[in-house]
């Protein structure tokens, strides 16, 4: 079974790279019987650089380009943590990642082209390698009716259909470099058209993480159907 992980940048790095968490995640991946595609997000660093680039007169395309660099730097950390089981190359191309996936347990990518986010990269990689499951790991423990950090009445979905996630994502997707949204609108379309089951969990909840990798019940949100 091939599992694709969309790894939120906030889990890889806060003020500093979170070496303890990266090691823990790498250990779980090493021990799992599954194969993995990991797509790393850019997190706060990507937002900081995109904002700085705009301050210097960058176009949105250029802001995306600099944010992509941050995602790739995070991807590099993962290839190092997974030395021996992951292909050491940080892929920028789905075809090449697919080829490497035939020989390695793990392939790692960052961003690819401006205009999308690593959620879409993860969905495209999942389509390319034929993965039936995506894990969206972030520091939020599921998909909510509204941003749970801002709205005390926000409720978590246990299960959702693709169309429900698409409707929710459509409300919050401003398509600007380094802006947060629950899941990239385009990625919602991709998982829906290919019927890829997508699990949203807090990546630091190790019990949920292990359960989601195996497609078992957890306290996050499952999107299918
Ligand atoms: P992320 O996927 O990390 O976006 O890409 P995010 O929504 O901020 O996710 P978290 O916070 O890591 O969970 C960061 C930025 O990199 C650019 C976009 O500007 C995106 O907002 N990017 C990423 C691209 O332009 N193309 C890509 O393929 C990937």
């Amino acid at each position: 079974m091939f599992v694709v992980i969309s790894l939120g940048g906030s889990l890889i790095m806060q003020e500093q790279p979170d070496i303890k968490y990266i090691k823990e995640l790498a250990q779980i991946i090493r021990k799992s019987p599954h194969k993995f595609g990991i797509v790393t997000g850019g997190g706060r660093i990507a937002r900081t650089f995109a904002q700085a680039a705009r301050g210097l007169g960058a176009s949105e395309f250029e802001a995306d380009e600099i944010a992509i660099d941050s995602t790739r730097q995070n991807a590099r950390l993962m290839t190092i943590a997974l030395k021996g089981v992951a292909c050491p190359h940080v892929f920028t191309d789905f075809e090449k990642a697919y080829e490497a996936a035939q020989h390695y347990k793990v392939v790692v990518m960052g961003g690819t082209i401006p205009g999308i986010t690593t959620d879409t990269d993860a969905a495209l990689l999942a389509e390319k390698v034929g993965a039936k499951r995506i894990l969206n790991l972030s520091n939020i423990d599921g998909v909510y009716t509204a941003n749970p950090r801002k709205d005390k009445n926000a409720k978590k979905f246990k299960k959702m259909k693709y169309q429900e996630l698409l409707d929710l994502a459509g409300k919050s997707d401003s398509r600007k470099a380094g802006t947060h949204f629950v899941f990239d609108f385009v990625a919602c379309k991709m998982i829906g058209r290919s019927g890829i089951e997508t699990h949203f969990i807090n990546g630091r909840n190790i019990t949920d993480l292990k359960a989601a990798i195996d497609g078992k019940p957890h306290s996050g949100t499952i999107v299918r159907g």
Side-chain angles (χ1 to χ4, degrees):
M1 165 75 83
F2 206 109
V3 178
V4 169
I5 295 181
S6 179
L7 178 59
S10 59
L11 294 173
I12 303 171
M13 178 141 177
Q14 297 282 329
E15 293 293 322
Q16 300 281 330
D18 190 341
I19 303 219
K20 187 167 171 282
Y21 179 70
I22 295 171
K23 276 189 184 163
E24 197 169 14
L25 177 61
Q27 196 56 19
I28 290 166
I29 289 170
R30 280 177 193 277
K31 284 189 183 156
S32 169
H34 303 303
K35 292 183 72 152
F36 292 86
I38 301 173
V39 183
T40 53
R44 199 197 304 178
I45 290 283
R47 279 189 285 286
T48 302
F49 274 91
Q51 206 46 42
R54 283 192 196 102
L56 293 166
S59 64
E60 284 305 311
F61 189 100
E62 289 167 326
D64 279 346
E65 285 181 311
I66 200 163
I68 290 172
D69 290 342
S70 300
T71 68
R72 290 184 179 157
Q73 198 160 29
N74 284 337
R76 178 68 66 201
L77 287 176
M78 290 311 299
T79 63
I80 292 166
L82 287 161
K83 203 172 275 181
V85 290
C87 178
H89 190 71
V90 171
F91 291 97
T92 56
D93 171 302
F94 298 101
E95 192 69 39
K96 294 206 172 96
Y98 170 77
E99 282 162 21
Q102 311 310 307
H103 309 288
Y104 288 90
K105 176 180 168 73
V106 186
V107 291
V108 185
M109 299 184 76
T112 53
I113 55 159
I116 57 174
T117 77
T118 51
D119 295 336
T120 298
D121 294 310
L124 290 169
L125 180 63
E127 285 192 326
K128 182 67 191 167
V129 300
K132 293 278 168 270
R133 185 151 67 241
I134 293 177
L135 268 53
N136 187 80
L137 306 187
S138 71
N139 53 18
I140 299 180
D141 62 351
V143 180
Y144 284 77
T145 49
N147 184 340
R149 298 229 162 91
K150 293 185 185 155
D151 186 347
K152 289 244 176 312
N153 297 319
K155 295 231 166 8
K156 183 162 71 176
F157 293 93
K158 189 88 196 118
K159 286 183 195 160
M160 289 177 96
K161 292 195 181 299
Y162 296 118
Q163 188 60 45
E164 290 175 296
L165 183 67
L166 188 65
D167 292 344
L168 198 67
K171 288 184 201 156
S172 58
D173 187 341
S174 72
R175 203 126 301 252
K176 288 226 170 191
T179 52
H180 274 305
F181 28 83
V182 56
F183 201 55
D184 184 332
F185 189 80
V186 183
C188 295
K189 284 275 194 195
M190 303 287 118
I191 59 169
R193 75 177 186 177
S194 294
I196 302 167
E197 190 174 279
T198 304
H199 298 245
F200 290 80
I201 55 167
N202 183 332
R204 291 187 201 279
N205 182 332
I206 301 301
T207 309
D208 277 357
L209 174 59
K210 287 179 177 168
I213 286 176
D214 292 330
K216 293 182 179 153
H218 51 72
S219 72
T221 303
I222 302 180
V223 185
R224 63 160 87 96

